[in-house]
Amino acid sequence: DAMVIQNPRYQVTQFGKPVTLSCSQTLNHNVMYWYQQKSSQAPKLLFHYYDKDFNNEADTPDNFQSRRPNTSFCFLDIRSPGLGDAAMYLCATSRTLGTEAFFGQGTRLTVV
Amino acid sequence: GESVGLHLPTLSVQEGDNSIINCAYSNSASDYFIWYKQESGKGPQFIIDIRSNMDKRQGQRVTVLLNKTVKHLSLQIAATQPGDSAVYFCAENPGGGYSTLTFGKGTMLLVSP
């Protein structure tokens, strides 16, 4: 019954080795978001897609990219992970902007 | 590895007590607010929301109060249970209308049996 599904739940990657995190949704929502959350902090928005329109937050490093090949799927690509990129990555969806966001269970990324 | 995070404000209560979690927001144009509950290792889960044309909204065991004059939001949980232990975040829609949510700092609620 999960509506926003993130894979994998846990990901270990090597320093500098590209990694991709996946998110899918069954809600047919227009908006998909990627958040980064570090320990004891609030989720921080990296970017979002409204349909096919990509919107990057001003302070999101170039190291982070995203793809949305269709309504259901969205990917987070980290081109060269650094130790500081270790965090929980949360995908969320909403019907439109300014409405309730539904979150996945997150992917915990460890960089070694 | 992961950087050391900030220390979360913590509210400790006994089972059966009522809990009040507070949130201050900064943008007077914010017109929509949500409270999320996040259990350890999981994604945030919607609890209750409120629009700026209201000052109170009730759900099952939860009430959200909005004071626009002082830009303050609170979440009241009645008869708190151990399963309510989690981190609670308020989120606001700062742009009014169509914009992305901004999350507050979060409060950890610890419920003792």
Side-chain angles (χ1 to χ4, degrees):
Chain A
D1 287 65
M3 298 178 288
V4 182
I5 302 162
Q6 292 188 244
N7 284 305
R9 290 293 310 277
Y10 301 92
Q11 175 75 56
V12 180
T13 191
Q14 290 181 332
F15 181 95
K17 183 175 181 181
V19 65
T20 295
L21 309 182
S22 301
C23 178
S24 64
Q25 57 137 337
T26 59
L27 297 163
N28 203 35
H29 280 170
N30 292 313
V31 191
M32 295 188 77
Y33 310 83
W34 280 104
Y35 287 84
Q36 180 192 64
Q37 186 178 31
K38 297 192 174 181
S39 180
S40 301
Q41 296 184 26
K44 179 180 180 299
L45 183 63
L46 296 173
F47 25 59
H48 74 274
Y49 273 94
Y50 194 117
D51 291 332
K52 296 180 181 178
D53 293 332
F54 177 71
N55 297 270
N56 201 33
E57 293 299 298
D59 57 355
T60 298
D62 292 340
N63 197 27
F64 293 87
Q65 304 285 322
S66 186
R67 295 170 284 135
R68 189 180 185 185
N70 54 51
T71 301
S72 301
F73 286 87
C74 196
F75 301 98
L76 170 63
D77 300 309
I78 308 177
R79 294 194 293 190
S80 181
L83 298 180
D85 296 327
M88 174 78 91
Y89 289 88
L90 295 163
C91 174
T93 74
S94 63
R95 181 177 50 80
T96 186
L97 290 172
T99 60
E100 176 192 350
F102 294 79
F103 284 82
Q105 294 288 53
T107 294
R108 170 72 65 185
L109 179 69
T110 300
V111 182
V112 297
Chain B
E2 192 172 328
S3 61
V4 175
L6 301 171
H7 189 69
L8 274 176
T10 300
L11 174 65
S12 296
V13 301
Q14 293 283 104
E15 182 177 2
D17 287 352
N18 297 330
S19 302
I20 300 175
I21 300 171
N22 297 303
C23 177
Y25 65 94
S26 57
N27 192 331
S28 56
S30 294
D31 65 349
Y32 178 60
F33 305 86
I34 303 177
W35 279 102
Y36 283 96
K37 173 187 179 183
Q38 187 174 26
E39 296 175 273
S40 181
K42 297 184 177 180
Q45 178 186 5
F46 173 91
I47 302 173
I48 192 167
D49 59 1
I50 189 167
R51 296 213 169 265
S52 58
N53 60 352
M54 304 173 70
D55 53 20
K56 180 179 180 179
R57 190 156 189 238
Q58 288 185 290
Q60 188 175 22
R61 280 201 308 120
V62 294
T63 301
V64 56
L65 298 177
L66 175 62
N67 185 330
K68 294 182 286 294
T69 303
V70 295
K71 292 186 282 191
H72 183 268
L73 193 69
S74 68
L75 176 70
Q76 299 178 358
I77 305 174
T80 314
Q81 302 167 359
D84 295 327
S85 294
V87 178
Y88 290 79
F89 292 99
C90 64
E92 63 181 299
N93 179 20
Y98 296 98
S99 63
T100 56
L101 296 175
T102 299
F103 280 77
K105 287 184 168 45
T107 297
M108 179 174 289
L109 176 65
L110 296 174
V111 184
S112 307

